[in-house]
């Protein structure tokens, strides 16, 4: 930070430019410190957490389309139903299909 | 007896089930996911928050599904893109987790049929671009739904649009589904499918082409298309919208051209007393002005049969699954289709490739039909 101030003083830059340079310097400093802290937090959290084994079929190593189909899929996926009007013509369609047979 | 109409698309998985009276219960789930690093905090948070769709993943990670994945990707501080089990209308061969994710999403939407139930699954028609591309995709879905207890039959997506939208013309006409990954088109005469084909260019293709010819990224183009784009407006000179309009125009022209070629390849043109109605469905067709633009182009083409009403289906996102449900409810006595048993080894299945049927000679004045194009693919052929 001091080096930045020395440079801008030496160059006799306007106040707005000095302000921008200081904000930039702070941002660079903050960014440099963040990854290490974050990685430590993540590692710590992963050590403490209770590891749940996913079902065998969920293995990402399984080639597409070749896994065994799961018997009981364990998930938390909800599907909310909406109401819609039914398509008409079921009787006509039934008759037409019966006629073809 | 339970009935189910199922539409597994690139963008959405949708299902229709009968409800009380003349109403249906429809369910849809965005067909995408994202896998994030799991920790004690977010596992507890997602367990308590019942509005998030998720499942535990390998190594304690968390798989977010559907809108929950989309919401996470959009709000994340870093650039994240959701992953998709399907690409261009079929199982995504480049996505290693496509299969288990599809299992979970399909199960959440279709539910189980423990006492037995009849399901009609919409599948893509043979593609013009590559032949036999949809076979494995169909087998995978047959297997997933079969394990859930459903007795499954398959029909083409375009035919489902006809079933849900063309009852007034006794199921005679053209049905087109403009999905995220594919355009599916069928022509039916008195509920008998005469031909069907699909093209692997649709909504995603529009986004891609418009992005490549503009300064916008694909997500930005998608946002413009879904929020403020209209084919009714003059888009000339508007950055982004102009490129989208050009891509839409190409898509419409390619679809109309292929419908004309398909009709010309029939042994004789259908003799219908009334002009043929055309029903349009699918998310890509929901752009304002799409049906009008398509109708103008179709009427200006060399289409050999008089054209009747060209219209958007009442419920464009659910037209396919509603038509599939109607098929399931009227097809109880037809035999179910069974997917071939999976190979014991973890290897790609070796299936002898059938020889393509001879392509009928095209009229000299029209473009040559692509080599993989099989216009006639009725249900009888599949049996």
């Amino acid at each position: 930070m001091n080096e930045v101030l020395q440079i801008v003083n030496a160059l006799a830059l306007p106040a707005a430019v000095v302000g921008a340079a200081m904000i930039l310097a702070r941002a660079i400093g903050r960014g440099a410190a963040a990854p290490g802290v974050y990685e430590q937090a993540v590692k710590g959290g992963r050590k403490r957490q209770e590891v749940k084994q996913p079902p065998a079929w969920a293995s990402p190593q399984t080639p597409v389309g070749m896994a065994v189909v799961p018997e009981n899929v364990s998930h938390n996926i909800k599907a909310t139903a909406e109401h819609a009007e039914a398509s008409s013509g079921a009787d006509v369609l039934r008759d037409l299909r019966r006629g073809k047979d | 007896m339970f009935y189910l109409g199922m539409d597994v698309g690139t963008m959405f998985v949708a299902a229709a089930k009968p409800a009380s009276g003349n109403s249906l219960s429809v369910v849809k789930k965005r067909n995408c996911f994202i896998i994030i690093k799991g920790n004690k905090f977010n596992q507890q948070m997602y367990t308590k928050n019942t509005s998030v769709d998720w499942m535990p993943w390998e190594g304690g990670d968390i798989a977010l599904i559907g809108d929950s994945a989309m919401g996470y990707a959009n709000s994340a501080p870093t650039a994240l893109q959701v992953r998709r089990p399907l690409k261009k209308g079929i199982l995504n061969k480049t996505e290693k987790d496509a299969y288990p994710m599809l299992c979970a999403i399909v199960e959440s939407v279709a539910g189980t049929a423990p006492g037995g139930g009849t399901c009609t699954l919409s599948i893509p028609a043979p593609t013009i671009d590559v032949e036999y591309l949809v076979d494995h995709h169909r087998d995978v879905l047959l297997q997933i739904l079969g394990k859930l207890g459903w007795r499954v039959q398959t029909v083409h997506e375009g035919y489902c649009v006809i079933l849900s939208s063309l009852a007034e013309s006794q199921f005679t006409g053209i049905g087109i589904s403009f999905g995220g990954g594919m355009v599916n088109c069928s022509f039916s005469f008195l509920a008998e499918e005469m031909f069907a084909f699909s093209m692997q260019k649709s909504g995603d293709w529009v986004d891609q082409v418009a992005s490549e010819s503009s300064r916008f990224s694909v997500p930005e183009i998608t946002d413009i298309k879904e929020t403020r784009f209209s084919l009714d407006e003059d888009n000339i000179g508007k950055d982004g919208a102009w490129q989208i309009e050009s891509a839409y125009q190409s898509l419409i022209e390619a679809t109309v051209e292929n419908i004309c070629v398909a009709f010309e390849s029939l042994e004789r043109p259908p003799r219908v007393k009334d002009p043929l109605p055309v029903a349009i469905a699918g998310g890509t067709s929901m752009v304002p002005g799409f049906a009008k633009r398509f109708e103008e182009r179709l009427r200006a083409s060399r289409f050999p049969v008089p054209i009747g009403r060209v219209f958007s289906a009442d419920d464009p996102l659910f037209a396919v699954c509603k038509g599939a449900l109607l098929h399931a409810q009227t097809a109880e006595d037809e035999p179910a289709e069974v997917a071939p048993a999976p190979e014991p080894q973890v290897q790609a299945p070796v299936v002898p490739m059938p020889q393509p049927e001879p392509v009928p000679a095209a009229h000299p004045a029209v473009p040559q039909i692509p080599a993989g194009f099989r216009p006639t693919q009725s249900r009888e052929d599949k049996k």
Side-chain angles (χ1 to χ4, degrees):
Chain A
M1 190 70 76
N2 288 334
E3 288 86 346
V4 175
L5 286 172
Q6 284 170 5
I7 291 166
V8 294
N9 285 337
L11 293 172
L13 293 171
V17 177
V18 174
M22 288 181 74
I23 290 167
L24 185 64
R26 282 196 194 118
I28 291 166
R30 191 178 296 145
V37 175
Y38 176 73
E39 280 166 13
Q40 279 178 8
V42 170
K43 279 178 187 170
R46 287 175 72 85
K47 273 179 194 168
R48 283 194 300 273
Q49 79 191 16
E50 188 183 329
V51 177
K52 288 183 183 175
Q53 287 300 319
W57 56 266
S59 165
Q61 305 305 320
T62 309
V64 168
M66 290 307 296
V68 178
V69 179
E71 293 293 339
N72 297 301
V73 183
S74 169
H75 60 71
N76 303 281
I77 312 172
K78 281 78 57 185
T80 309
E82 301 168 33
H83 281 278
E85 198 176 322
S87 307
S88 59
D91 294 336
V92 178
L93 181 61
R94 200 173 280 117
D95 289 346
L96 285 168
R97 300 182 72 179
R98 224 173 260 154
K100 272 186 294 185
D101 296 338
Chain B
M1 190 64 169
F2 297 104
Y3 296 102
L4 177 73
M6 195 75 194
D7 172 21
V8 181
T10 308
M11 299 299 285
F12 290 98
V13 177
K17 295 177 185 178
S20 57
N22 192 35
S23 68
L24 298 177
S25 165
V26 287
V27 177
K28 76 170 190 293
K29 181 68 63 186
R30 205 177 271 275
N31 200 0
C32 63
F33 68 97
I34 199 164
I35 295 174
I36 62 171
K37 290 286 175 197
N39 56 47
K40 195 176 180 182
F41 171 71
N42 61 15
Q43 279 192 347
Q44 281 180 354
M45 184 181 75
Y46 288 134
T47 305
K48 286 177 186 169
N49 188 350
T50 54
S51 65
V52 176
D53 290 331
W54 69 284
M55 56 197 285
W57 201 245
E58 198 173 58
D61 289 346
I62 287 172
L64 297 174
I65 315 283
D67 283 327
S68 301
M70 192 67 88
Y72 185 90
N74 289 341
S75 60
T78 52
L80 283 176
Q81 275 206 327
V82 292
R83 293 157 64 182
R84 296 191 179 282
L86 263 63
K87 188 180 179 186
K88 294 184 177 180
I90 59 168
L91 201 65
N92 186 353
K93 65 179 179 184
T94 59
E95 174 52 69
K96 64 181 170 47
D97 298 324
Y99 178 72
M101 286 299 171
L102 198 59
C103 287
I105 294 173
V106 167
E107 197 217 353
S108 72
V109 172
T112 54
T118 301
C119 169
T120 292
L121 167 71
S122 76
I123 56 166
T127 51
I128 289 174
D129 320 273
V130 186
E131 205 172 10
Y132 307 113
L133 198 63
V134 300
D135 291 2
H136 178 60
H137 171 77
R138 180 200 59 207
D139 290 345
V140 168
L141 289 171
L142 282 175
Q143 212 169 33
I144 293 172
L145 286 163
K147 284 282 181 182
L148 294 170
W150 294 102
R151 181 176 166 273
V152 189
Q153 298 168 28
T154 58
V155 290
H156 292 140
E157 251 184 77
Y159 185 63
C160 290
V161 177
I162 292 169
L163 294 183
S164 65
S165 308
L166 295 181
E168 283 180 16
S169 62
Q170 294 197 311
F171 307 103
T172 297
I174 298 171
I176 312 171
S177 167
F178 289 89
M182 273 184 167
V183 175
N184 269 274
C185 176
S186 288
F187 165 56
S188 159
F189 181 74
L190 293 175
E192 175 77 15
E193 192 176 48
M194 306 304 288
F195 71 72
F197 68 86
S198 67
M199 300 173 0
Q200 278 201 319
K201 52 172 72 170
S202 195
D204 291 344
W205 180 84
V206 167
D207 297 354
Q208 189 68 41
V209 169
S211 170
E212 282 170 10
S213 54
S214 72
R215 64 187 171 87
F216 296 104
S217 65
V218 171
E220 286 169 335
I221 286 288
T222 309
D223 182 56
I224 294 170
K225 190 180 78 173
E226 291 180 355
T227 56
R228 51 187 185 276
F229 176 73
S230 169
L231 282 168
D232 281 334
E233 291 174 13
D234 182 9
N235 293 308
I236 294 173
K238 291 182 189 170
D239 206 6
W242 197 3
Q243 288 87 346
I244 296 172
E245 178 167 345
S246 298
Y248 259 108
Q249 190 64 28
S250 300
L251 175 69
I252 288 170
E253 283 175 11
T255 308
V256 168
E257 178 61 32
N258 282 312
I259 293 173
C260 291
V261 173
F263 263 85
E264 286 160 354
S265 70
L266 292 173
E267 284 180 16
R268 61 177 187 178
R271 294 176 188 171
V272 288
K273 61 176 182 179
D274 297 320
L276 279 183
V278 181
I280 294 169
T284 301
S285 73
M286 290 171 75
V287 165
F290 182 89
K292 186 180 157 199
R293 184 69 67 93
F294 185 84
E295 180 177 3
E296 286 170 359
R297 186 68 192 85
L298 186 61
R299 290 193 191 282
S301 73
R302 61 178 192 284
F303 191 69
V305 181
I307 300 159
R309 189 175 158 228
V310 180
F311 63 99
S312 285
D314 288 341
D315 215 344
L317 281 183
F318 292 118
V320 172
C321 66
K322 282 166 72 174
L325 176 63
L326 195 68
H327 184 273
Q329 289 173 312
T330 56
E332 234 181 295
D333 48 348
E334 289 188 13
E337 294 176 38
V338 181
E343 299 281 329
Q345 302 94 349
V346 183
Q347 283 179 351
V350 181
V351 180
M353 290 292 285
Q355 293 300 311
E357 291 171 11
V359 179
H363 189 277
V366 302
Q368 185 69 40
I369 301 172
F373 185 52
R374 289 189 303 167
T376 306
Q377 180 78 3
S378 66
R379 287 185 300 282
E380 280 68 26
D381 291 341
K382 285 190 279 179
K383 289 175 191 173

